[in-house]
């Protein structure tokens, strides 16, 4: 892995950063790419349990009646889905 050290020089590192997607922050999720990543979150709307689809930055995009349809809608739009509780 190569890192820029702030002095205009590249430096090699052997550091690998592992991110636990289950504990990702909103800011980290947004950095992954708003246009490529969407997440599915269970919500209740009008007393009905549904699945909200959000862009990585938290912008609401759609609601689906079940998780499979939400997942499929994200894939259909050539985005990468993630499920959060």
């Amino acid at each position: 892995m190569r890192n820029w050290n702030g002095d205009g020089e590249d430096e090699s590192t052997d550091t690998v950063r592992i991110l636990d997607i289950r504990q990702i922050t909103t800011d980290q999720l947004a950095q992954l790419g708003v246009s490529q990543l969407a997440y599915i979150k269970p919500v209740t709307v009008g007393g009905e349990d549904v699945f909200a689809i959000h862009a990585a930055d938290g912008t609401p995009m759609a609601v689906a009646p079940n998780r499979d349809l939400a997942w499929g809608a994200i894939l259909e739009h050539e985005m990468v889905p993630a499920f959060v509780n």
Side-chain angles (χ1 to χ4, degrees), residues 11-75:
E11 58 185 29
S12 293
T13 65
D14 292 329
T15 305
V16 175
R17 186 168 180 207
I18 298 173
L19 180 64
D20 183 353
I21 192 75
R22 295 169 296 181
Q23 300 194 10
I24 194 167
T25 67
T26 304
D27 289 339
Q28 289 169 326
L29 191 60
Q31 290 175 11
L32 291 174
V34 174
S35 64
Q36 294 123 7
L37 182 71
Y39 66 91
I40 301 165
K41 180 178 177 181
V43 296
T44 302
V45 176
E48 185 177 344
D49 293 333
V50 294
F51 293 84
I53 302 170
H54 295 265
D57 68 354
T59 303
M61 298 191 317
V63 175
N66 63 57
R67 181 177 160 175
D68 290 338
L69 285 176
W71 196 270
I74 293 170
L75 291 174

